[in-house]
Amino acid sequence: MQSLHQSTGLLNPSTATEKPFLNGTGAGIASLATRPSSTKFSKVVKGTNPVNPGRVRQSGSAVKAILGGLGALNPLAAVKVKAVVTVKQTVGGFLADTVLVPNTVADLLGTSMILELIPAELDPKTGKPKPTVSSLASFAGINGTEIKYQASFGLSADFGTVGAVRIDNLHIREMFLKEIVLEGFATGSVNIECESWVPAKISGKPKRVFFSTKSYLPSDTPTGLKKLRTDELVVLRGSGQGERKKGDRIYDYDVYNDLGDARPVLGGKENPYPRRCRTGRPRSSKNPEDETRALYFYVPRDEEFSEIKTAQFGVKTLYSALHALVPTLETILIDPKLGFPHFTAVNNLFDQGLNLPPYSQTNLVSFLPTLIRNSAEASNDVLQFEVPPTMDRNSFFWFTDEEFARQTLAGVNPCTIQLIKEWPIMGTLDPAVYGPQESGITKELIEKEIRGYTTLDDAIQQKKLFMLDYHDVLLPFVGKTRELDNTTLYGSRTVFYLCPAGTLRPLAIELTRPPLDGKPQWKKVYVPNYSSATDVWLWRFAKAHVLSHDSAYHQLISHWLRTHCCTEPYIIAAKRQLSAMHPVHRLLLPHFRYTMEINALARQALINAGGVIESTFAPLKYCMQASSAIYGQSWRFDKEGLPHDLINRGLAVEDPSAPHGVKLTIEDYPYANDGLLIWDSIKTWVTDYVNQYYPDSQSVSSDAELQAWWSEVRNQGHEDKKDEPWWPTISTQQDLVEVCTTIIWVVSGHHAAVNFGQYAFGGYFPNQPTTARVKMPDEDPTEDEWKLFIEKPEQALLATLPSQIQATKVMTVLDVLSAHAPDEEYLGGPIEPAWRDDPNVKAAFEKFNGRQKEIEGEIDARNADSSRKNRSGAGVYPYELLKPFSESGVTGKGVPYSISI
């Protein structure tokens, strides 16, 4: 028995499969081999003796009794069909509590699972469903990491096309079903793509139904599948009641009320926010508005990281970092205020590392091998960070104004810089609360900085002035953030000038504190003045504050909100409203994998009260409230596509004659240059795909499932924005192409651009400090504060930057978030089975795949072009974040299909 399970070959189907039988009433089963008694068998196979289910007599009548509920052999069988079922072995692991252990006895008895073939069409004479045909699948061997089963069927001449397969899992545990291939048809094999968990019969959960890879619009659904199509969606929607349990497949909506510690509920009129997946956990006794927190956050079963994929690498490693390493750091770095005494101590994180408790207690090296190494001298682990590639090229990269400006176009947050279109710069906040609205950056100051180039008026007319504007979004949080310990905050504006060489030069930084504690508004403008040592250091301090604002906005908005958070409603609505056989469901499916799982982990330990984000990023405790405020003020679906985003920020104008339909305001803008290549390739692929299924606008507007999906995205998933006039409708093929292209861009290109460079740019934290702990030296300083600044400005700057525990926490998480899993699936990489089985779709996808390979070469050529100064030059880190493919690990490149980390 043991050798059979270890075999790499398959058992002989003639000895490993049952004879077929037809559902319904009928007589005996011919030539069915008798089986020995089995208690487990009798529990899961219909027809056992209810008085003595453990006893099965070896007689023809007893066999009929066991299988009677399944029906009799079809006497009119005209076609013999063989089913080959592939089940993936699960490996268990750090997060897993379910591992498939093949039930050897049950498998050999042929009691592993029952396959029921469902005809695609109704009986044309009666208008009723045709009989289905069922067979017990028998264990056929193990091939690598896959378990094979086989079943045989006899189909009558009038059975017609197989439209679906219903599975009854007779194992004692759930199993991960990869695919079913039906062979024996004159027209070729029928492929049933599954890639899904099938619950055990004893769980009481419904049997699973899987459709063939042929896609159908609702109106084209074969008559025999229409009810199944509807019923399956009803199951996925659930009742909206009760607590969701592990293994459930129910998708529903809820607000963010599970972040803990009485944080404001996100979602609703007061704090607008996208919706998350409903878990139904009990309400907190301390705060009835809050949902209780638990060790396990429900995620629909098929949204969880597959235990058979090494894609679990990402979530397991992140889980280890959050739940093992971060608490360990907190036990070592006891003083949360302890900063770095000098920059050498910062460099030691890369050169020497940080000693951790004995590895016999923590065993972190097995979970975080890229971060933790064993000490040869002692029985302890050492946390030692890799030198970020930016620092490896130029150890002083973070200190220069050139790099400060360059990263607004080619860094990890290149999607917030905007064109200055009018002067003076004005805010929109209530002056009675926040002070004067007009910026302190004056015309005279700007013209002094750009003298010899142009005038202010000409610079605005020629589109030469740009800005990072974190003034109005942060100012409302300054007062309450300053009430917290060991932190401070400002609203900020930074103005840049576009030089003739195509690079940006910072001209001025404005920091603002609103009226506070009886003091009037404090506002100060800093310029890169190198005629005074004091001014030089004040400029460096001002840059540190702006960088902390940029880092926080990047993490909270550009990354979390615009990709992870806003995507979850698209997924929930798709699962609830688009059948698995719907072509749009199959188009979007690879772009939705694992996002809900990683979002649930974020609610557990990243964005929760006291989590990594709240403890390390400005404005700390108020991070998620700030995210909610910005969502309410500025998020618009119609501006999330790359061309519209660029136009909205003034970084491009529409130009039908331009290669991508837009002309860039800054020609050498690496994020936009490369992003538009990706955007266009996605749009071409989506256009080809949509036109394959929708011949005209009528077919789009009349698609009930499609319209229900998009309506639910707007009215439930983004309920707090449902009345906004900018929501696009889906009435034509072009509308559908734009919506799907936007979603795919957000989860692939946009997410890659803001995620996989996090360690490269934030691994050396002075380059992207996540918070500032001390106010500017010249803001109402005490005598001692000013003395420290004048005598030891480096020490004062280190006191402003994140503390040791904040920095090491962030560096750890950024390292993990920036890594690709060994089997990452990249844009244009693996083809979906449903795409493969349609010749036209397959051809369109192959063109898409080829285009990604071409883009790789185009990006390499751009990085080698010395005229592109924002991505090449001495010590300059090349821009590769939108190169489609990558090796595993922290590489600073690669565009995965989905948000999987």
Side-chain angles (χ1 to χ4, degrees):
M1 203 75 71
Q2 182 66 23
S3 62
L4 175 63
H5 275 257
Q6 293 176 343
S7 170
T8 58
L10 302 181
L11 294 182
N12 186 335
S14 65
T15 63
T17 57
E18 292 284 355
K19 297 293 184 180
F21 35 86
L22 181 68
N23 271 5
T25 59
I29 301 176
S31 303
L32 183 63
T34 58
R35 302 297 186 192
S37 172
S38 169
T39 301
K40 291 182 179 178
F41 187 175
S42 65
K43 287 181 180 178
V44 294
V45 177
K46 296 179 181 179
T48 55
N49 186 336
V51 177
N52 184 9
R55 181 176 177 80
V56 182
R57 291 181 297 168
Q58 299 180 22
S59 68
S61 60
V63 171
K64 283 192 238 180
I66 293 172
L67 300 173
L70 297 174
L73 180 68
N74 176 13
L76 301 178
V79 178
K80 290 186 177 181
V81 174
K82 181 178 75 173
V84 179
V85 182
T86 302
V87 173
K88 290 185 178 180
Q89 293 192 74
T90 54
V91 297
F94 196 71
L95 297 178
D97 61 6
T98 301
V99 183
L100 175 64
V101 181
N103 185 326
T104 305
V105 175
D107 279 338
L108 292 181
L109 288 176
T111 60
S112 56
M113 70 186 83
I114 298 170
L115 274 67
E116 181 183 353
L117 305 188
I118 302 171
E121 301 291 348
L122 298 175
D123 188 320
K125 296 179 181 179
T126 65
K128 295 181 179 180
K130 296 178 182 179
T132 62
V133 178
S134 297
S135 177
L136 284 168
S138 297
F139 175 72
I142 297 177
N143 187 2
T145 61
E146 297 178 342
I147 306 172
K148 298 289 185 177
Y149 297 86
Q150 291 183 354
S152 295
F153 302 85
L155 303 185
S156 63
D158 61 353
F159 184 90
T161 304
V162 176
V165 177
R166 183 181 284 116
I167 303 292
D168 197 1
N169 176 17
L170 305 182
H171 287 100
I172 62 172
R173 298 173 186 247
E174 66 177 352
M175 62 182 179
F176 190 86
L177 190 59
K178 178 184 177 182
E179 65 180 0
I180 303 168
V181 179
L182 303 176
E183 301 171 349
F185 298 102
T187 55
S189 61
V190 175
N191 298 316
I192 311 288
E193 178 200 6
C194 304
E195 290 290 337
S196 182
W197 293 94
V198 179
K201 183 182 183 74
I202 60 175
S203 71
K205 298 181 184 299
K207 299 176 185 179
R208 292 297 310 277
V209 174
F210 297 97
F211 300 104
S212 73
T213 54
K214 184 172 176 57
S215 299
Y216 297 98
L217 298 180
S219 59
D220 298 330
T221 307
T223 55
L225 302 180
K226 286 186 176 180
K227 186 176 186 303
L228 278 178
R229 182 172 186 149
T230 301
D231 290 348
E232 178 71 2
L233 289 174
V234 170
V235 170
L236 293 172
R237 292 172 196 149
S239 64
Q241 303 296 317
E243 182 177 356
R244 300 275 65 83
K245 302 297 184 182
K246 186 174 178 63
D248 286 351
R249 297 172 56 243
I250 295 175
Y251 297 77
D252 204 353
Y253 302 94
D254 207 344
V255 294
Y256 281 74
N257 63 347
D258 63 346
L259 301 182
D261 199 21
R263 292 294 185 266
V265 174
L266 303 184
K269 186 176 181 180
E270 187 174 343
N271 296 295
Y273 219 55
R275 299 303 191 258
R276 63 168 175 91
C277 183
R278 179 185 176 277
T279 67
R281 293 193 303 269
R283 294 302 177 97
S284 168
S285 58
K286 294 181 179 179
N287 188 354
E289 288 189 343
D290 288 354
E291 195 172 75
T292 54
R293 292 174 59 80
L295 292 177
Y296 169 72
F297 275 37
Y298 167 74
V299 175
R301 190 64 178 104
D302 286 338
E303 306 303 324
E304 293 184 279
F305 276 83
S306 175
E307 293 159 15
I308 45 75
K309 282 178 62 66
T310 52
Q312 64 179 318
F313 162 85
V315 74
K316 285 170 63 177
T317 306
L318 181 56
Y319 189 95
S320 302
L322 297 176
H323 293 271
L325 181 53
V326 168
T328 300
L329 291 173
E330 290 171 342
T331 65
I332 301 170
L333 304 171
I334 300 174
D335 183 0
K337 298 181 181 180
L338 182 64
F340 290 87
H342 37 71
F343 278 96
T344 302
V346 177
N347 294 337
N348 284 343
L349 292 174
F350 309 102
D351 300 333
Q352 300 175 12
L354 182 67
N355 288 327
L356 300 176
Y359 56 77
S360 59
Q361 298 177 24
T362 60
N363 198 27
L364 290 167
V365 68
S366 63
F367 302 128
L368 298 161
T370 62
L371 285 175
I372 309 297
R373 63 176 177 82
N374 292 135
S375 170
E377 295 79 21
S379 60
N380 65 278
D381 292 335
V382 176
L383 172 64
Q384 185 172 4
F385 296 96
E386 291 287 336
V387 176
T390 45
M391 185 182 179
D392 190 45
R393 283 177 173 257
N394 178 4
S395 59
F396 298 104
F397 79 105
W398 65 281
F399 214 54
T400 68
D401 289 351
E402 291 80 6
E403 184 67 10
F404 172 53
R406 189 188 77 87
Q407 288 183 25
T408 66
L409 304 174
V412 75
N413 189 32
C415 45
T416 57
I417 189 166
Q418 58 186 277
L419 178 70
I420 295 176
K421 299 177 181 179
E422 55 186 22
W423 202 269
I425 301 171
M426 299 290 293
T428 60
L429 299 175
D430 184 354
V433 177
Y434 299 103
Q437 295 176 323
E438 185 171 335
S439 170
I441 303 175
T442 64
K443 177 179 180 178
E444 293 73 22
L445 184 147
I446 293 298
E447 291 192 334
K448 180 179 179 182
E449 292 297 315
I450 60 175
R451 62 183 181 273
Y453 285 107
T454 186
T455 65
L456 174 67
D457 293 339
D458 286 345
I460 292 177
Q461 184 179 2
Q462 296 168 13
K463 299 182 178 180
K464 299 290 187 182
L465 291 181
F466 298 85
M467 176 170 59
L468 285 180
D469 188 0
Y470 301 128
H471 186 272
D472 286 9
V473 297
L474 291 181
L475 209 59
F477 297 93
V478 169
K480 45 192 173 184
T481 299
R482 288 190 170 209
E483 293 174 359
L484 303 176
D485 192 30
N486 198 37
T487 190
T488 192
L489 189 65
Y490 296 97
S492 70
R493 298 184 179 102
T494 307
V495 174
F496 300 88
Y497 177 73
L498 180 61
C499 299
T503 58
L504 292 176
R505 180 164 73 88
L507 300 182
I509 291 174
E510 177 184 36
L511 299 178
T512 304
R513 180 203 70 199
L516 200 63
D517 299 328
K519 299 177 182 178
Q521 182 192 72
W522 182 90
K523 183 182 296 182
K524 186 71 178 291
V525 177
Y526 302 89
V527 296
N529 185 345
Y530 296 100
S531 60
S532 159
T534 298
D535 289 339
V536 167
W537 275 103
L538 286 173
W539 171 250
R540 290 170 180 165
F541 274 75
K543 282 201 300 182
H545 281 275
V546 168
L547 288 169
S548 73
H549 303 162
D550 187 65
S551 182
Y553 193 93
H554 158 259
Q555 200 63 258
L556 292 171
I557 309 304
S558 303
H559 184 200
W560 163 254
L561 176 67
R562 291 181 62 184
T563 65
H564 290 260
C565 186
C566 286
T567 296
E568 188 154 339
Y570 311 148
I571 302 172
I572 298 172
K575 296 291 185 175
R576 287 165 54 87
Q577 300 297 343
L578 295 176
S579 166
M581 68 172 74
H582 196 290
V584 173
H585 181 282
R586 285 176 163 156
L587 171 66
L588 296 176
L589 180 63
H591 302 288
F592 289 162
R593 288 191 180 120
Y594 311 129
T595 301
M596 292 179 69
E597 169 85 343
I598 204 70
N599 286 1
L601 181 55
R603 300 203 320 273
Q604 277 186 291
L606 280 173
I607 65 171
N608 60 302
V612 171
I613 299 297
E614 275 201 7
S615 62
T616 58
F617 285 83
L620 300 185
K621 180 180 177 179
Y622 303 103
C623 278
M624 296 310 292
Q625 284 178 260
S627 174
S628 167
I630 294 168
Y631 170 77
Q633 294 163 10
S634 61
W635 184 85
R636 295 178 50 156
F637 180 86
D638 63 328
K639 304 300 183 187
E640 289 300 289
L642 179 59
H644 293 293
D645 171 54
L646 294 170
I647 292 169
N648 185 51
R649 292 187 285 118
L651 271 295
V653 294
E654 289 190 55
D655 184 352
S657 65
H660 309 288
V662 294
K663 178 177 175 57
L664 295 178
T665 310
I666 301 175
E667 292 184 9
D668 183 15
Y669 185 0
Y671 165 70
N673 297 140
D674 298 355
L676 287 169
L677 297 177
I678 299 290
W679 169 271
D680 276 2
S681 71
I682 294 170
K683 189 168 186 177
T684 299
W685 151 241
V686 173
T687 299
D688 291 343
Y689 186 93
V690 166
N691 289 339
Q692 173 68 18
Y693 295 100
Y694 294 93
D696 50 38
S697 296
Q698 173 63 24
S699 60
V700 175
S701 60
S702 63
D703 184 339
E705 286 184 10
L706 180 70
Q707 298 302 326
W709 166 63
W710 193 237
S711 174
E712 191 166 293
V713 166
R714 173 176 179 170
N715 293 296
Q716 291 182 252
H718 286 273
E719 181 180 345
D720 302 327
K721 294 272 190 175
K722 66 180 180 180
D723 296 324
E724 297 286 356
W726 42 255
W727 279 101
T729 59
I730 300 181
S731 302
T732 67
Q733 298 104 311
Q734 291 75 21
D735 295 338
L736 180 56
V737 166
E738 192 70 22
V739 165
C740 291
T741 302
T742 296
I743 291 173
I744 294 171
W745 160 255
V746 166
V747 302
S748 59
H750 179 107
H751 180 260
V754 299
N755 182 75
F756 292 104
Q758 290 193 86
Y759 190 74
F761 291 99
Y764 187 72
F765 72 88
N767 181 62
Q768 278 279 305
T770 57
T771 188
R773 297 186 294 141
V774 179
K775 60 185 174 62
M776 285 293 293
D778 57 343
E779 185 206 332
D780 304 329
T782 65
E783 185 175 335
D784 289 341
E785 289 171 344
W786 187 253
K787 182 179 180 182
L788 176 64
F789 167 67
I790 293 297
E791 295 182 358
K792 297 182 178 180
E794 179 180 319
Q795 185 175 331
L797 180 59
L798 285 165
T800 300
L801 298 177
S803 67
Q804 290 192 35
I805 183 61
Q806 288 174 325
T808 51
K809 269 189 189 181
V810 169
M811 291 166 70
T812 298
V813 173
L814 295 189
D815 179 272
V816 175
L817 291 179
S818 301
H820 291 293
D823 61 348
E824 187 84 83
E825 295 181 352
Y826 297 98
L827 197 65
I831 186 171
E832 292 289 298
W835 306 345
R836 177 199 62 211
D837 293 346
D838 185 304
N840 293 332
V841 173
K842 180 182 179 183
F845 177 81
E846 288 174 346
K847 183 173 69 173
F848 179 56
N849 171 269
R851 181 62 185 130
Q852 303 314 303
K853 295 173 182 176
E854 292 173 354
I855 290 173
E856 286 260 313
E858 290 180 42
I859 291 176
D860 285 340
R862 289 172 174 180
N863 286 327
D865 184 351
S866 59
S867 69
R868 296 177 180 264
K869 301 185 184 303
N870 290 319
R871 63 192 308 155
S872 65
V876 173
Y877 182 56
Y879 191 77
E880 297 184 315
L881 288 170
L882 289 170
K883 287 187 68 173
F885 306 109
S886 173
E887 308 81 37
S888 62
V890 181
T891 64
K893 58 185 176 182
V895 182
Y897 269 116
S898 65
I899 304 168
S900 59
I901 189 63

